[in-house]
Amino acid sequence: MKINKEELATINAVSAGRLETEFNHLAGRLETQGVDIKQLLQNLTAFQVAIPSWALGAGGTRFGRFSATGEPASLEDKIDDVGLLHALTGNAGAISLHIPWDNPGDFDAIRQRARALGLVFDAVNSNTFQDQPGQAHSYRYGSLCNSDASVRKQAVEHNLEVIRIGENLGSKSLTVWLADGANFPGQYNFQRALDRTADSLKQIYAALPDDWKLFIEYKPYEPNFYSTVIQDWGTSFMLANMCGERAYTLVDLGHHLPNTNIEQIVATLMYRGKLGGFHFNDSKYGDDDLTVGSIKPYALFLIFNELVYGMRHNPENPSPAWMIDASHNIKDPLEDLIQSLEAILEAYAKAQLIDQKALRDAQQAQDVVACQEILQDAYRTDVRPLIQKARQMNGAAIHPLQAYRSLEVRRKLTESRGRESRATGL
Ligand code: LRH
Ligand code: MN
């Protein structure tokens, strides 16, 4: 299913007038405060978030899974669904594949299909947290950290295979997330597990093409519930430094213990030029993989405040990879992703309204109240007319969710794919 520009123009025409009024009013006010509206809109139109190929169908938990009808059962269908998201939002111009869940058969056809929809391939993800049919060695007791050298060798070779697949698609980065860990004290020796993991990661890093990056994703627990080898940002940061200058830390927002100050982690990683990218989602308790900005929108705003500061003050830190990593247990996957994209663009827009000079002066003056007022003035600004204008400029929908529903996308996908079609992934 494709969404054509004429359909979108017809839908946008309904709200274009109101947008013009609201946008001019807001832009006028912000320009009096010294905000460069042209630059801000440029940043919003250029902001591209990679959509996870494993989150285009319904997710589930061990307690069950409630299918979405018309799910994309093939990589081709998944690319088409990301194409739909990009046509509706203008900010979903990339897809992040997970191997082997999304092993491309015909590379040329897959590349062509993505290019025709204006999509590129962002980071490819390896998977040494599940045993594949016919696999020689099990990852039950870990992969890159496993005490059995033949298991580590198998896991390193899988990552090299994923790099080769990514190269064929034009991807420029590999994300390694390891479930490796222990469920019980004494099950392994922390230092030896870490040392084996470091050695394995160095082998993978050594095989990276010269223009590629390695993203090391950390997580405190699940599926192991006593220890995870790469449990926190510090461990990932240490391993990235042990690998080399093109190895970075990847921050998945759901991979933190409750009340962790994630914005400070982001600032610390950018301070050392080691922030590689993000897996955006939201959570109340654990790795809940909920809609971005649905639980802690202010925390997301504070993270983007550090990102905006870092993008201006840490030239040694490459532009981070923006990716979503969510799981849709009850929502329509595409509606959920549209909401997540909206929350990300909103946090980014609000963070760009922060008067950084005034904030710096207030911090220097230790005027704590003024510091909070400057942040919250930006946060309390309704930036939706800016995001809608950016989408209109991108030729996308002013109101993507309404457009998705009025175009009856899910009904049409279900008609063409059938109620029972099911996506691979989580
Ligand atoms: C682990 C994780 C990782 C992916 C997986 C699908 O929790 O966040 O990024 O490999 O989800
Ligand atoms: Mn993740």
Side-chain angles (χ1 to χ4, degrees):
M1 176 187 172
K2 284 203 178 30
I3 293 175
N4 66 47
K5 294 289 178 199
E6 289 67 46
E7 280 176 311
L8 274 187
T10 314
I11 292 170
N12 279 349
V14 178
S15 42
R18 177 172 167 188
L19 171 59
E20 220 43 46
T21 312
E22 291 177 351
F23 172 75
N24 291 337
H25 174 70
L26 177 60
R29 178 167 75 76
L30 294 175
E31 270 163 349
T32 61
Q33 294 169 7
V35 174
D36 178 345
I37 292 294
K38 193 161 169 299
Q39 182 61 55
L40 198 156
L41 287 174
Q42 204 175 318
N43 293 344
L44 294 178
T45 52
F47 196 86
Q48 297 301 321
V49 180
I51 305 297
S53 61
W54 60 91
L56 293 162
T61 72
R62 57 187 166 163
F63 303 106
R65 182 183 184 280
F66 305 100
S67 277
T69 62
E71 292 186 13
S74 67
L75 180 52
E76 288 77 6
D77 284 352
K78 289 183 175 189
I79 290 173
D80 290 354
D81 282 10
V82 177
L84 285 171
L85 281 175
H86 194 42
L88 288 169
T89 66
N91 297 108
I95 182 169
S96 180
L97 299 190
H98 219 296
I99 309 295
W101 292 337
D102 305 302
N103 246 331
D106 174 342
F107 283 105
D108 291 345
I110 291 292
R111 261 201 315 270
Q112 185 43 44
R113 197 182 193 96
R115 193 178 307 122
L117 294 165
L119 306 177
V120 297
F121 290 93
D122 204 309
V124 281
N125 300 263
S126 59
N127 177 343
T128 58
F129 50 87
Q130 293 171 327
D131 291 344
Q132 306 304 326
Q135 188 175 296
H137 306 287
S138 172
Y139 294 133
R140 176 193 291 267
Y141 300 114
S143 62
L144 300 185
C145 85
N146 200 297
S147 56
D148 179 335
S150 56
V151 178
R152 298 197 304 275
K153 184 169 178 299
Q154 175 184 277
V156 168
E157 279 164 4
H158 165 69
N159 279 276
L160 273 52
E161 170 60 19
V162 173
I163 292 171
R164 278 193 291 279
I165 290 171
E167 279 189 284
N168 269 307
L169 294 170
S171 172
K172 294 292 182 193
S173 51
L174 167 70
T175 295
V176 173
W177 167 67
L178 302 178
D180 292 22
N183 269 327
F184 304 98
Q187 180 180 334
Y188 65 14
N189 174 285
F190 295 128
Q191 293 199 35
R192 289 202 295 273
L194 201 48
D195 193 48
R196 293 189 293 260
T197 301
D199 177 63
S200 302
L201 284 171
K202 286 179 189 168
Q203 293 175 45
I204 295 168
Y205 183 81
L208 274 189
D210 295 346
D211 59 350
W212 271 53
K213 297 188 186 90
L214 172 63
F215 298 148
I216 302 174
E217 184 177 1
Y218 58 89
K219 184 174 181 178
Y221 71 94
E222 189 205 38
N224 280 292
F225 295 102
Y226 166 65
S227 159
T228 297
V229 176
I230 310 181
Q231 63 165 337
D232 60 11
W233 75 270
T235 309
S236 165
F237 178 70
M238 176 188 71
L239 290 166
N241 283 305
M242 291 170 77
C243 285
E245 64 182 16
R246 287 179 292 111
Y248 301 89
T249 291
L250 187 140
V251 177
D252 184 313
L253 299 186
H255 292 183
H256 301 89
L257 299 177
N259 306 324
T260 298
N261 187 328
I262 303 175
E263 59 269 26
Q264 185 171 359
I265 293 173
V266 168
T268 307
L269 290 167
M270 293 194 93
Y271 174 66
R272 298 304 295 166
K274 278 297 187 189
L275 176 70
F278 279 88
H279 279 179
F280 290 115
N281 48 54
D282 209 339
S283 51
K284 180 76 175 160
Y285 304 103
D287 188 18
D288 310 341
D289 280 344
L290 299 174
T291 316
V292 181
S294 61
I295 308 289
K296 309 187 291 288
Y298 191 60
L300 184 68
F301 163 75
L302 294 175
I303 288 168
F304 268 93
N305 174 36
E306 296 307 329
L307 286 167
V308 167
Y309 181 89
M311 288 193 270
R312 292 176 187 163
H313 294 85
N314 306 108
E316 68 284 2
N317 199 103
S319 170
W322 315 113
M323 297 174 276
I324 291 174
D325 183 0
S327 176
H328 325 288
N329 298 347
I330 55 174
K331 288 182 179 179
D332 175 315
L334 296 179
E335 292 194 348
D336 199 338
L337 290 163
I338 289 171
Q339 289 183 308
S340 282
L341 287 164
E342 177 83 9
I344 293 167
L345 269 290
E346 187 175 341
Y348 183 38
K350 289 183 178 202
Q352 292 176 76
L353 298 185
I354 298 168
D355 183 336
Q356 294 287 349
K357 174 151 184 355
L359 180 60
R360 188 180 187 127
D361 295 347
Q363 288 164 342
Q364 201 56 38
Q366 290 152 349
D367 183 344
V368 180
V369 171
C371 292
Q372 182 177 327
E373 287 305 309
I374 292 162
L375 279 185
Q376 295 193 330
D377 179 45
Y379 182 71
R380 291 170 177 148
T381 304
D382 180 356
V383 294
R384 289 176 292 182
L386 299 172
I387 302 169
Q388 291 160 8
K389 173 56 78 176
R391 283 198 288 262
Q392 185 186 47
M393 293 162 69
N394 263 343
I398 293 172
H399 301 289
L401 200 53
Q402 286 168 18
Y404 176 87
R405 290 191 169 189
S406 59
L407 291 166
E408 298 184 289
V409 175
R410 181 55 59 190
R411 182 182 63 71
K412 291 169 183 164
L413 291 175
T414 303
E415 240 164 50
S416 62
R417 294 170 181 171
R419 297 191 64 76
E420 302 315 315
S421 71
R422 182 175 170 146
T424 55
L426 276 185

mmCIF file of all heavy atoms in Angstrom, residues 54 98 101 125-127 129 175 177 217-219 221-222 250 252 255 279 281 287 289 325 426, ligand 1:
data_model
loop_
_atom_site.group_PDB
_atom_site.id
_atom_site.type_symbol
_atom_site.label_atom_id
_atom_site.label_comp_id
_atom_site.label_asym_id
_atom_site.label_seq_id
_atom_site.Cartn_x
_atom_site.Cartn_y
_atom_site.Cartn_z
ATOM 1 N N TRP A 54 11.702 -4.815 13.872
ATOM 2 C CA TRP A 54 11.089 -5.806 14.753
ATOM 3 C C TRP A 54 9.891 -5.244 15.506
ATOM 4 O O TRP A 54 9.314 -5.922 16.362
ATOM 5 C CB TRP A 54 12.130 -6.353 15.741
ATOM 6 C CG TRP A 54 12.761 -5.331 16.639
ATOM 7 C CD1 TRP A 54 12.329 -4.958 17.877
ATOM 8 C CD2 TRP A 54 13.919 -4.554 16.369
ATOM 9 N NE1 TRP A 54 13.157 -3.998 18.395
ATOM 10 C CE2 TRP A 54 14.142 -3.728 17.496
ATOM 11 C CE3 TRP A 54 14.807 -4.470 15.291
ATOM 12 C CZ2 TRP A 54 15.211 -2.831 17.565
ATOM 13 C CZ3 TRP A 54 15.866 -3.584 15.361
ATOM 14 C CH2 TRP A 54 16.062 -2.790 16.484
ATOM 15 N N HIS A 98 17.063 -6.365 12.073
ATOM 16 C CA HIS A 98 17.543 -7.290 13.100
ATOM 17 C C HIS A 98 17.783 -8.638 12.421
ATOM 18 O O HIS A 98 16.884 -9.168 11.770
ATOM 19 C CB HIS A 98 16.495 -7.433 14.204
ATOM 20 C CG HIS A 98 17.079 -7.505 15.571
ATOM 21 N ND1 HIS A 98 17.895 -8.528 15.970
ATOM 22 C CD2 HIS A 98 16.992 -6.664 16.622
ATOM 23 C CE1 HIS A 98 18.270 -8.323 17.229
ATOM 24 N NE2 HIS A 98 17.740 -7.197 17.651
ATOM 25 N N TRP A 101 16.097 -12.139 12.128
ATOM 26 C CA TRP A 101 14.652 -11.923 11.951
ATOM 27 C C TRP A 101 14.342 -11.351 10.571
ATOM 28 O O TRP A 101 13.306 -11.626 9.999
ATOM 29 C CB TRP A 101 14.125 -10.954 13.004
ATOM 30 C CG TRP A 101 14.142 -11.472 14.410
ATOM 31 C CD1 TRP A 101 14.154 -12.778 14.820
ATOM 32 C CD2 TRP A 101 14.156 -10.695 15.607
ATOM 33 N NE1 TRP A 101 14.171 -12.854 16.185
ATOM 34 C CE2 TRP A 101 14.170 -11.596 16.697
ATOM 35 C CE3 TRP A 101 14.134 -9.318 15.864
ATOM 36 C CZ2 TRP A 101 14.173 -11.154 18.027
ATOM 37 C CZ3 TRP A 101 14.143 -8.879 17.185
ATOM 38 C CH2 TRP A 101 14.168 -9.796 18.244
ATOM 39 N N ASN A 125 21.359 -4.962 13.522
ATOM 40 C CA ASN A 125 21.429 -5.541 14.869
ATOM 41 C C ASN A 125 21.724 -7.030 14.804
ATOM 42 O O ASN A 125 21.029 -7.764 14.088
ATOM 43 C CB ASN A 125 20.096 -5.330 15.589
ATOM 44 C CG ASN A 125 19.731 -3.865 15.742
ATOM 45 O OD1 ASN A 125 19.969 -3.276 16.779
ATOM 46 N ND2 ASN A 125 19.164 -3.296 14.690
ATOM 47 N N SER A 126 22.719 -7.471 15.553
ATOM 48 C CA SER A 126 22.991 -8.909 15.625
ATOM 49 C C SER A 126 22.111 -9.528 16.705
ATOM 50 O O SER A 126 21.526 -8.827 17.531
ATOM 51 C CB SER A 126 24.467 -9.145 15.953
ATOM 52 O OG SER A 126 24.792 -8.531 17.196
ATOM 53 N N ASN A 127 22.036 -10.846 16.696
ATOM 54 C CA ASN A 127 21.182 -11.558 17.655
ATOM 55 C C ASN A 127 21.887 -12.813 18.130
ATOM 56 O O ASN A 127 21.877 -13.832 17.436
ATOM 57 C CB ASN A 127 19.849 -11.926 16.985
ATOM 58 C CG ASN A 127 18.939 -12.739 17.904
ATOM 59 O OD1 ASN A 127 19.381 -13.291 18.897
ATOM 60 N ND2 ASN A 127 17.668 -12.799 17.549
ATOM 61 N N PHE A 129 21.116 -13.742 21.287
ATOM 62 C CA PHE A 129 20.336 -13.993 22.505
ATOM 63 C C PHE A 129 19.277 -15.072 22.276
ATOM 64 O O PHE A 129 18.535 -15.424 23.199
ATOM 65 C CB PHE A 129 19.679 -12.699 23.027
ATOM 66 C CG PHE A 129 18.910 -11.890 22.013
ATOM 67 C CD1 PHE A 129 17.576 -12.156 21.740
ATOM 68 C CD2 PHE A 129 19.522 -10.849 21.327
ATOM 69 C CE1 PHE A 129 16.869 -11.399 20.820
ATOM 70 C CE2 PHE A 129 18.826 -10.076 20.405
ATOM 71 C CZ PHE A 129 17.494 -10.351 20.161
ATOM 72 N N THR A 175 24.858 -2.649 15.750
ATOM 73 C CA THR A 175 24.490 -2.576 17.167
ATOM 74 C C THR A 175 24.595 -3.961 17.779
ATOM 75 O O THR A 175 24.023 -4.920 17.255
ATOM 76 C CB THR A 175 23.060 -2.039 17.345
ATOM 77 O OG1 THR A 175 22.994 -0.695 16.889
ATOM 78 C CG2 THR A 175 22.646 -2.074 18.817
ATOM 79 N N TRP A 177 23.742 -5.828 21.176
ATOM 80 C CA TRP A 177 23.161 -5.926 22.522
ATOM 81 C C TRP A 177 23.286 -7.390 22.954
ATOM 82 O O TRP A 177 22.914 -8.291 22.194
ATOM 83 C CB TRP A 177 21.691 -5.542 22.570
ATOM 84 C CG TRP A 177 21.097 -5.951 23.870
ATOM 85 C CD1 TRP A 177 21.396 -5.431 25.098
ATOM 86 C CD2 TRP A 177 20.181 -7.025 24.129
ATOM 87 N NE1 TRP A 177 20.713 -6.096 26.089
ATOM 88 C CE2 TRP A 177 19.951 -7.084 25.506
ATOM 89 C CE3 TRP A 177 19.526 -7.934 23.295
ATOM 90 C CZ2 TRP A 177 19.101 -8.014 26.091
ATOM 91 C CZ3 TRP A 177 18.674 -8.881 23.871
ATOM 92 C CH2 TRP A 177 18.474 -8.919 25.267
ATOM 93 N N GLU A 217 25.244 -1.657 23.226
ATOM 94 C CA GLU A 217 24.026 -1.343 23.985
ATOM 95 C C GLU A 217 24.076 -2.029 25.343
ATOM 96 O O GLU A 217 24.354 -3.224 25.425
ATOM 97 C CB GLU A 217 22.791 -1.799 23.207
ATOM 98 C CG GLU A 217 21.458 -1.448 23.844
ATOM 99 C CD GLU A 217 20.267 -1.873 22.986
ATOM 100 O OE1 GLU A 217 20.498 -2.465 21.896
ATOM 101 O OE2 GLU A 217 19.123 -1.631 23.387
ATOM 102 N N TYR A 218 23.821 -1.304 26.407
ATOM 103 C CA TYR A 218 23.854 -1.883 27.762
ATOM 104 C C TYR A 218 22.423 -2.097 28.276
ATOM 105 O O TYR A 218 21.459 -1.544 27.719
ATOM 106 C CB TYR A 218 24.622 -0.960 28.718
ATOM 107 C CG TYR A 218 24.078 0.453 28.837
ATOM 108 C CD1 TYR A 218 23.105 0.771 29.787
ATOM 109 C CD2 TYR A 218 24.539 1.468 27.997
ATOM 110 C CE1 TYR A 218 22.601 2.061 29.901
ATOM 111 C CE2 TYR A 218 24.037 2.756 28.096
ATOM 112 C CZ TYR A 218 23.076 3.059 29.043
ATOM 113 O OH TYR A 218 22.570 4.336 29.144
ATOM 114 N N LYS A 219 22.305 -2.928 29.311
ATOM 115 C CA LYS A 219 20.987 -3.196 29.910
ATOM 116 C C LYS A 219 21.186 -3.814 31.274
ATOM 117 O O LYS A 219 21.989 -4.738 31.404
ATOM 118 C CB LYS A 219 20.175 -4.139 29.002
ATOM 119 C CG LYS A 219 18.760 -4.428 29.458
ATOM 120 C CD LYS A 219 17.996 -5.251 28.431
ATOM 121 C CE LYS A 219 16.585 -5.519 28.894
ATOM 122 N NZ LYS A 219 15.781 -6.279 27.881
ATOM 123 N N TYR A 221 19.178 -5.653 33.371
ATOM 124 C CA TYR A 221 18.671 -7.030 33.591
ATOM 125 C C TYR A 221 17.671 -7.397 32.500
ATOM 126 O O TYR A 221 17.271 -6.530 31.729
ATOM 127 C CB TYR A 221 18.009 -7.140 34.972
ATOM 128 C CG TYR A 221 16.696 -6.406 35.080
ATOM 129 C CD1 TYR A 221 15.490 -7.063 34.860
ATOM 130 C CD2 TYR A 221 16.665 -5.051 35.370
ATOM 131 C CE1 TYR A 221 14.281 -6.372 34.922
ATOM 132 C CE2 TYR A 221 15.469 -4.352 35.426
ATOM 133 C CZ TYR A 221 14.277 -5.016 35.210
ATOM 134 O OH TYR A 221 13.095 -4.322 35.259
ATOM 135 N N GLU A 222 17.256 -8.727 32.487
ATOM 136 C CA GLU A 222 16.359 -9.340 31.496
ATOM 137 C C GLU A 222 17.062 -9.531 30.163
ATOM 138 O O GLU A 222 17.517 -8.516 29.581
ATOM 139 C CB GLU A 222 15.085 -8.486 31.274
ATOM 140 C CG GLU A 222 14.051 -9.223 30.415
ATOM 141 C CD GLU A 222 13.121 -8.263 29.682
ATOM 142 O OE1 GLU A 222 13.585 -7.213 29.224
ATOM 143 O OE2 GLU A 222 11.914 -8.588 29.558
ATOM 144 N N LEU A 250 25.469 2.908 23.071
ATOM 145 C CA LEU A 250 24.091 3.138 22.630
ATOM 146 C C LEU A 250 23.188 3.154 23.852
ATOM 147 O O LEU A 250 23.234 2.240 24.678
ATOM 148 C CB LEU A 250 23.641 2.071 21.646
ATOM 149 C CG LEU A 250 22.264 2.315 21.005
ATOM 150 C CD1 LEU A 250 22.272 1.933 19.534
ATOM 151 C CD2 LEU A 250 21.166 1.566 21.728
ATOM 152 N N ASP A 252 19.606 2.892 25.307
ATOM 153 C CA ASP A 252 18.193 2.512 25.173
ATOM 154 C C ASP A 252 17.513 3.053 26.421
ATOM 155 O O ASP A 252 17.865 2.676 27.542
ATOM 156 C CB ASP A 252 18.053 0.992 25.074
ATOM 157 C CG ASP A 252 16.612 0.537 24.845
ATOM 158 O OD1 ASP A 252 15.721 1.041 25.562
ATOM 159 O OD2 ASP A 252 16.390 -0.308 23.961
ATOM 160 N N HIS A 255 16.575 0.887 29.390
ATOM 161 C CA HIS A 255 17.617 0.043 29.999
ATOM 162 C C HIS A 255 18.279 0.721 31.196
ATOM 163 O O HIS A 255 19.506 0.767 31.306
ATOM 164 C CB HIS A 255 18.668 -0.331 28.939
ATOM 165 C CG HIS A 255 18.121 -1.239 27.885
ATOM 166 N ND1 HIS A 255 18.898 -1.750 26.870
ATOM 167 C CD2 HIS A 255 16.874 -1.711 27.671
ATOM 168 C CE1 HIS A 255 18.166 -2.526 26.101
ATOM 169 N NE2 HIS A 255 16.929 -2.509 26.548
ATOM 170 N N HIS A 279 18.022 4.263 21.436
ATOM 171 C CA HIS A 279 16.802 3.493 21.228
ATOM 172 C C HIS A 279 15.750 4.201 22.066
ATOM 173 O O HIS A 279 15.763 4.111 23.291
ATOM 174 C CB HIS A 279 16.976 2.036 21.668
ATOM 175 C CG HIS A 279 17.668 1.190 20.662
ATOM 176 N ND1 HIS A 279 17.929 -0.143 20.878
ATOM 177 C CD2 HIS A 279 18.155 1.456 19.428
ATOM 178 C CE1 HIS A 279 18.535 -0.660 19.810
ATOM 179 N NE2 HIS A 279 18.677 0.284 18.931
ATOM 180 N N ASN A 281 12.161 4.988 23.629
ATOM 181 C CA ASN A 281 10.920 4.351 24.072
ATOM 182 C C ASN A 281 10.598 4.992 25.422
ATOM 183 O O ASN A 281 11.204 5.997 25.787
ATOM 184 C CB ASN A 281 11.083 2.825 24.209
ATOM 185 C CG ASN A 281 12.351 2.470 24.982
ATOM 186 O OD1 ASN A 281 12.555 2.949 26.102
ATOM 187 N ND2 ASN A 281 13.215 1.667 24.372
ATOM 188 N N ASP A 287 12.155 -2.604 31.303
ATOM 189 C CA ASP A 287 12.317 -2.376 29.860
ATOM 190 C C ASP A 287 10.960 -2.552 29.190
ATOM 191 O O ASP A 287 10.736 -3.465 28.395
ATOM 192 C CB ASP A 287 13.337 -3.371 29.289
ATOM 193 C CG ASP A 287 13.690 -3.041 27.842
ATOM 194 O OD1 ASP A 287 13.432 -1.891 27.418
ATOM 195 O OD2 ASP A 287 14.186 -3.945 27.134
ATOM 196 N N ASP A 289 9.357 -0.840 26.948
ATOM 197 C CA ASP A 289 9.255 -0.545 25.511
ATOM 198 C C ASP A 289 7.933 0.122 25.129
ATOM 199 O O ASP A 289 7.333 -0.195 24.103
ATOM 200 C CB ASP A 289 9.441 -1.842 24.708
ATOM 201 C CG ASP A 289 10.919 -2.200 24.578
ATOM 202 O OD1 ASP A 289 11.750 -1.317 24.826
ATOM 203 O OD2 ASP A 289 11.216 -3.357 24.246
ATOM 204 N N ASP A 325 12.993 1.903 19.636
ATOM 205 C CA ASP A 325 12.977 0.477 19.978
ATOM 206 C C ASP A 325 11.799 0.286 20.910
ATOM 207 O O ASP A 325 11.889 0.591 22.093
ATOM 208 C CB ASP A 325 14.282 0.052 20.666
ATOM 209 C CG ASP A 325 14.298 -1.448 20.964
ATOM 210 O OD1 ASP A 325 13.308 -2.119 20.635
ATOM 211 O OD2 ASP A 325 15.286 -1.921 21.532
ATOM 212 N N LEU A 426 10.053 -9.374 18.015
ATOM 213 C CA LEU A 426 9.793 -9.615 19.457
ATOM 214 C C LEU A 426 8.343 -9.969 19.724
ATOM 215 O O LEU A 426 7.468 -9.380 19.093
ATOM 216 C CB LEU A 426 10.124 -8.353 20.236
ATOM 217 C CG LEU A 426 11.596 -8.171 20.609
ATOM 218 C CD1 LEU A 426 11.721 -6.943 21.491
ATOM 219 C CD2 LEU A 426 12.112 -9.397 21.342
HETATM 220 C C1 LRH B 1 17.041 -5.496 24.199
HETATM 221 C C2 LRH B 1 16.761 -4.586 23.020
HETATM 222 C C3 LRH B 1 17.824 -4.596 21.956
HETATM 223 C C4 LRH B 1 17.247 -5.366 20.810
HETATM 224 C C5 LRH B 1 16.053 -5.975 21.352
HETATM 225 C C6 LRH B 1 15.016 -6.197 20.323
HETATM 226 O O1 LRH B 1 16.094 -5.288 25.198
HETATM 227 O O2 LRH B 1 16.495 -3.312 23.477
HETATM 228 O O3 LRH B 1 18.013 -3.328 21.430
HETATM 229 O O4 LRH B 1 18.098 -6.175 20.177
HETATM 230 O O5 LRH B 1 15.612 -5.096 22.365
#
